[in-house]
Amino acid sequence: MCLQLCGMTKTDAAVQTLSDINPDGVLESYTLNITTVQGFETFMASLTNKTYSPSKDGTGVDLVLSCVDNYEARMVVNQACNELKQTWMELYFLL
């Protein structure tokens, strides 16, 4: 499995692995700096996109799996998810 994931970003590798486990799930991968204004706005827009769950209350996603690699980015994810009352988990993905 590792050879298939080599050269991928860790977010894309996580999406691939989770898709293999549950092919019915809808997963999106974002590789960006969420500590910038533009990155934060992109992140917030992805959370409020209801394309897949138009009738769902709150955000359009069930769970945020965070793959950030520094404290500042982790706090940004925490802030955004708390503001939107969105469930999130830190994902440590070891290749």
Side-chain angles (χ1 to χ4, degrees), residues 53 56 59-64 86-88:
S53 301
K56 186 177 183 305
T59 66
V61 299
D62 294 318
L63 176 66
V64 172
Q86 172 63 55
T87 303
W88 74 282

Side-chain angles (χ1 to χ4, degrees), residues 16 23 30 39-40 43 65 70 75 77 79 84 88 94:
Q16 180 63 51
Y30 293 90
F40 182 76
F43 179 59
L65 294 177
N70 65 69
M75 290 300 98
V77 172
Q79 175 188 344
L84 298 172
W88 74 282
L94 181 63

Side-chain angles (χ1 to χ4, degrees), residues 13-64:
V15 165
Q16 180 63 51
T17 300
L18 293 171
S19 293
D20 291 344
I21 294 168
N22 181 6
D24 295 328
V26 177
L27 305 166
E28 294 180 1
S29 172
Y30 293 90
T31 303
L32 50 88
N33 182 353
I34 62 171
T35 63
T36 66
V37 172
Q38 181 180 4
F40 182 76
E41 289 172 352
T42 301
F43 179 59
M44 291 293 280
S46 73
L47 294 180
T48 55
N49 180 358
K50 293 191 173 195
T51 301
Y52 301 110
S53 301
S55 62
K56 186 177 183 305
D57 290 337
T59 66
V61 299
D62 294 318
L63 176 66
V64 172

